[in-house]
Amino acid sequence: MMDFDEVRTILSPKSESLDEKLSIFREDRDTWNSKVKKYLTERNEINRQVKELITEVQNQKVIRDEANSKVKELKIIRAERSTILKKLRAELQEKKPVSEPKKQEKRERKRNERTIRSDIDKLDMKFNLGHFKGSKEKDFEREMKKLYQELKDIKANKVENALSELESNVRTAAKSQEEAHKLVEEAVTTAQESHDLMIELSEEVDRLRAKANSSQEGVIRSKREADLLHNKYVVSLRSIHSIQDLFKAMVAQEKNLDDDTGSKLEVTDLMSRLMSGDTLSTDELMALQRN
């Protein structure tokens, strides 16, 4: 049977070795726990960014869908205005003479068609009453020709005015159609930009999610290492405490000279278990203290 000095000689180095490992296990465990916190912070920040990006993707989808709906409506308006413009142009082309006469200088006209016809009727009545006999007949013809030319000019002016109004309508319709076309293009651009931004944001979400998954793997790996080192730390700590309790129990046992052989055998057995790397339960430690 080994006495206390022999047991101490054997277990003291083991206790010192465990104490050194205890410090290493604690430092390494704390290092891995720091990594766990770092990866958790990184993962949570990435997930926050992902959430914001997903919200923005949804906002852009609403903008894109509204713009696409607007494009459809504006295309209908543009088509209607294009049809009107086409009809006006066809009408203008149909009414426009093949070769237009040179534009005469504009002059203010006070006489209208009704007045000129009245003058023609009066002049004709004078002729019938014999006021233009002999050499005066040429005056009649000259005056009558002048009145008919004036009447012709008025009619021509009416046609010109009608064409001018039609040309104005064509220009107005063309401007209206062009405005509708620009609105369509703007809506198409808005829809395309929102769509492109959606794609870009979605790709960024995928990239960040992959990064978040990597951080989560870091959390799991670091936590596994930290837990493993913590378990080693706890086992080492319990082993040191068990050795210390064994020393206390053996000291108390040596003082009690009346102890029986069974108790000594129990202490020796517990010491052997400690030397083999086992840790003692609470009941066993209490038994050592009792002995």
Side-chain angles (χ1 to χ4, degrees), residues 4 8 26 36 47 59 67 85 93 132 161 242:
F4 177 69
R8 184 168 56 187
R26 182 176 59 249
V36 169
N47 285 336
N59 292 338
L85 177 60
Q93 188 65 30
F132 295 98
N161 289 339
S242 297

Side-chain angles (χ1 to χ4, degrees), residues 85 88-90 92 165-175:
L85 177 60
L88 287 172
R89 282 175 172 169
L92 178 62
E165 183 179 355
L166 186 56
E167 287 174 345
S168 177
N169 291 338
V170 168
R171 287 193 295 270
T172 300
K175 184 177 179 181

Side-chain angles (χ1 to χ4, degrees), residues 123-124 126-128 130-146:
L123 189 63
D124 191 51
K126 286 181 179 182
F127 179 79
N128 292 332
H131 290 183
F132 295 98
K133 291 182 178 180
S135 60
K136 291 184 178 180
E137 187 173 346
K138 290 184 179 181
D139 294 337
F140 167 78
E141 292 176 356
R142 185 170 54 252
E143 189 67 25
M144 187 65 76
K145 184 177 180 181
K146 181 179 177 182

Side-chain angles (χ1 to χ4, degrees), residues 2 7 19 102 106 176 205:
M2 291 186 293
V7 172
D19 192 54
K102 293 183 180 180
K106 293 183 179 179
S176 178
V205 166

Side-chain angles (χ1 to χ4, degrees), residues 8-55:
R8 184 168 56 187
T9 300
I10 295 172
L11 292 183
S12 289
K14 185 174 182 65
S15 178
E16 292 174 0
S17 175
L18 287 172
D19 192 54
E20 292 176 0
K21 290 181 180 179
L22 193 68
S23 297
I24 295 173
F25 291 152
R26 182 176 59 249
E27 291 175 1
D28 289 347
R29 178 201 62 188
D30 293 345
T31 298
W32 281 107
N33 278 331
S34 296
K35 290 183 179 181
V36 169
K37 292 180 181 178
K38 172 186 167 235
Y39 283 123
L40 277 173
T41 301
E42 185 179 276
R43 183 201 64 185
N44 293 339
E45 174 60 21
I46 293 172
N47 285 336
R48 183 191 66 78
Q49 294 178 21
V50 167
K51 187 176 180 181
E52 290 180 355
L53 287 175
I54 290 175
T55 300

